[in-house]
Amino acid sequence: LYLKYLAFQISLCVRYNILLLIIQDAIKELSLMNYKKLGNTDIKVSTICLGTMTWGEQNTQEEGFEQMDFAIDKGVNFWDTAELYAVPPKKETFGHTEIIIGNWFKKTKKRDKIILATKVAGPAREYIRGGGNNYTPERMTQALNDSLKRLKTDYIDLYQLHWPERNTNMFGRLGYSHKENEDWNKFEDVLGHLNKFIKDGKIRDIGLSNETPWGVSKCLNLSKEKDLPRMMSIQNPYSLLNRTYEVGLAEISIRDEIGLLSYSPLASGYLTGKYRNNQLPKNSRLERDGDFWTRYNKPNTTEAVDAYYKISKKYNLNFAQMAIKFCEIQPFMTSVIIGATTMDQLKTNIESVNINLINEVVDEINEVQKIYPNPCP
């Protein structure tokens, strides 16, 4: 009887272990996506946003389709693009990324499943509506209508001003030089143009990009004073190599419910570790277009990356996932915009939602920040 009982217990353990393995495998395949409200709206967006700027340059339409298919299956409902894309920007690829997204919408009929964000370019290259300021009513109307046509949709969920028209610091530039009597469209006029688009049903909400605390505050105050549309997001850089958003803008994000959509969370690939020890992988951004991607090639970048890399290894974390997760858990963050050129990169980036950064990891990251503060602003 004892032997029969023992055999029964062993069979239960075997069955239990097999079932446990099946459950564990299923959990690995399941991406438990997180969601947050966009600004003070009721729109819930995934905390991982699918960035698209490589489609039409580094990635083909077929590869873009594969990324969109995978992302939506993993619960990523928020996609970001711009009329300027693909990147690096060129006349011959202007608008190509939007075209690829539009073709996917036409093929899949899944437009209603996606919260779609795009951008109108600020003062731009000659091939974009003749160059110069772009936030006039005529130019913004043309830009929006052209984006809608390329995207094969009737509306944009989040329409963003890609960068300011006025002379101010953006794209990592330091040393602000003030100029009086500049030629740029007034904030209230631009908000008025956007209000018309909202009333026409062509856009739902609006956002800023590459903006300063002064610019954000100005827009928010004018919205209250003049009953104009309210900015719901700020798309600025944020990563382990650039935490300047925490000075000024983080407080605005939290107090005024205008969250960050962080771009370059992996600092153009530096925070994956692939460029460590002077490596230059084939078909990487730096290998393909090194003269364009210079923003993160700065003094102390190598030392900071190595220090963060060692933390990831110490705690057995994927380096890229640790870097993305650090962004996601910030209280001012709405969504982290990831960009990938391969499916393996995309899977790694999206699965960052499933990892946990214990307090010790965050503390050690903050210690590195003290030693190498924002090497790539």
Side-chain angles (χ1 to χ4, degrees):
L1 288 175
Y2 176 77
L3 290 175
K4 287 182 179 180
Y5 174 76
L6 184 60
F8 175 71
Q9 291 296 322
I10 291 173
S11 68
L12 281 179
C13 288
V14 170
R15 291 173 188 173
Y16 174 79
N17 285 334
I18 292 173
L19 180 60
L20 184 61
L21 289 172
I22 292 172
I23 293 172
Q24 288 174 339
D25 287 340
I27 291 174
K28 287 179 182 178
E29 290 298 316
L30 181 64
S31 180
L32 302 175
M33 186 52 60
N34 302 315
Y35 299 88
K36 283 188 176 181
K37 285 186 177 182
L38 178 66
N40 65 2
T41 73
D42 291 327
I43 299 173
K44 289 188 176 181
V45 296
S46 49
T47 55
I48 297 294
C49 176
L50 181 63
T52 64
M53 70 179 185
T54 60
W55 304 350
E57 179 62 39
Q58 282 183 265
N59 288 105
T60 64
Q61 174 168 284
E62 182 181 6
E63 290 169 337
F65 278 20
E66 187 179 12
Q67 288 194 30
M68 287 183 273
D69 289 338
F70 181 83
I72 196 170
D73 285 344
K74 291 298 181 180
V76 177
N77 73 341
F78 192 24
W79 299 356
D80 177 74
T81 190
E83 64 168 349
L84 183 73
Y85 298 167
V87 172
K90 303 172 185 175
K91 181 178 180 180
E92 55 269 28
T93 58
F94 174 74
H96 281 206
T97 305
E98 288 187 331
I99 290 171
I100 290 172
I101 295 171
N103 290 341
W104 187 86
F105 285 151
K106 181 179 179 181
K107 176 186 175 183
T108 64
K109 306 295 189 290
K110 293 182 178 179
R111 171 65 186 93
D112 62 328
K113 306 295 183 184
I114 303 302
I115 306 301
L116 177 64
T118 193
K119 312 178 196 75
V120 52
R125 294 159 173 80
E126 195 69 26
Y127 62 81
I128 303 178
R129 293 176 289 281
N133 289 353
N134 262 325
Y135 299 159
T136 64
E138 298 80 14
R139 290 191 177 204
M140 290 187 76
T141 299
Q142 182 184 345
L144 176 58
N145 288 339
D146 287 347
S147 284
L148 290 170
K149 183 178 179 180
R150 287 189 292 263
L151 290 162
K152 294 180 173 60
T153 184
D154 297 326
Y155 68 98
I156 304 296
D157 294 288
L158 180 67
Y159 200 52
Q160 303 158 100
L161 307 180
H162 207 157
W163 61 87
E165 290 182 311
R166 67 188 189 281
N167 173 59
T168 190
N169 289 5
M170 50 191 161
F171 304 122
R173 187 176 70 192
L174 299 176
Y176 172 69
S177 178
H178 186 69
K179 296 179 181 178
E180 291 289 348
N181 303 317
E182 286 185 82
D183 179 26
W184 45 279
N185 292 282
K186 295 180 179 179
F187 287 97
E188 53 264 48
D189 292 341
V190 177
L191 290 172
H193 310 333
L194 294 169
N195 193 33
K196 182 180 183 301
F197 300 151
I198 292 172
K199 289 180 177 179
D200 290 343
K202 292 184 176 181
I203 59 176
R204 296 175 68 187
D205 287 293
I206 56 175
L208 295 163
S209 185
N210 297 297
E211 191 50 276
T212 68
W214 182 83
V216 175
S217 298
K218 190 76 172 175
C219 284
L220 291 175
N221 289 336
L222 285 169
S223 296
K224 294 176 183 177
E225 293 171 6
K226 298 182 179 293
D227 192 27
L228 290 166
R230 182 185 191 278
M231 294 295 179
M232 294 299 175
S233 60
I234 313 167
Q235 185 175 148
N236 277 23
Y238 185 81
S239 71
L240 294 178
L241 298 181
N242 180 1
R243 293 172 58 179
T244 56
Y245 193 90
E246 295 176 25
V247 183
L249 280 168
E251 183 179 9
I252 294 174
S253 278
I254 295 172
R255 291 186 184 277
D256 289 317
E257 296 182 285
I258 177 172
L260 172 62
L261 311 179
S262 64
Y263 71 78
S264 285
L266 295 179
S268 295
Y270 278 93
L271 291 171
T272 67
K274 65 184 178 183
Y275 298 128
R276 293 180 68 248
N277 302 318
N278 297 316
Q279 296 182 82
L280 198 62
K282 187 70 176 174
N283 291 324
S284 64
R285 292 180 188 176
L286 296 192
E287 193 271 338
R288 285 174 51 101
D289 304 291
D291 292 339
F292 181 81
W293 300 105
T294 59
R295 184 168 185 172
Y296 298 98
N297 184 18
K298 301 288 175 61
N300 291 331
T301 294
T302 297
E303 291 79 3
V305 168
D306 285 346
Y308 290 126
Y309 179 81
K310 289 175 183 177
I311 295 173
S312 71
K313 291 305 169 187
K314 177 179 177 180
Y315 291 96
N316 196 30
L317 295 167
N318 177 280
F319 187 24
Q321 290 182 341
M322 182 187 82
I324 294 171
K325 192 67 179 184
F326 181 82
C327 296
E328 187 196 2
I329 63 176
Q330 300 306 314
F332 50 81
M333 189 69 62
T334 295
S335 191
V336 183
I337 304 172
I338 59 165
T341 54
T342 71
M343 286 304 297
D344 283 343
Q345 291 171 352
L346 184 66
K347 292 173 183 176
T348 296
N349 293 351
I350 291 177
E351 288 168 3
S352 66
V353 297
N354 296 318
I355 74 166
N356 179 45
L357 295 189
I358 60 175
N359 291 337
E360 288 80 1
V361 172
V362 175
D363 289 344
E364 291 191 29
I365 285 174
N366 287 332
E367 287 302 313
V368 174
Q369 165 69 8
K370 293 177 184 178
I371 300 170
Y372 305 108
N374 303 315
C376 308

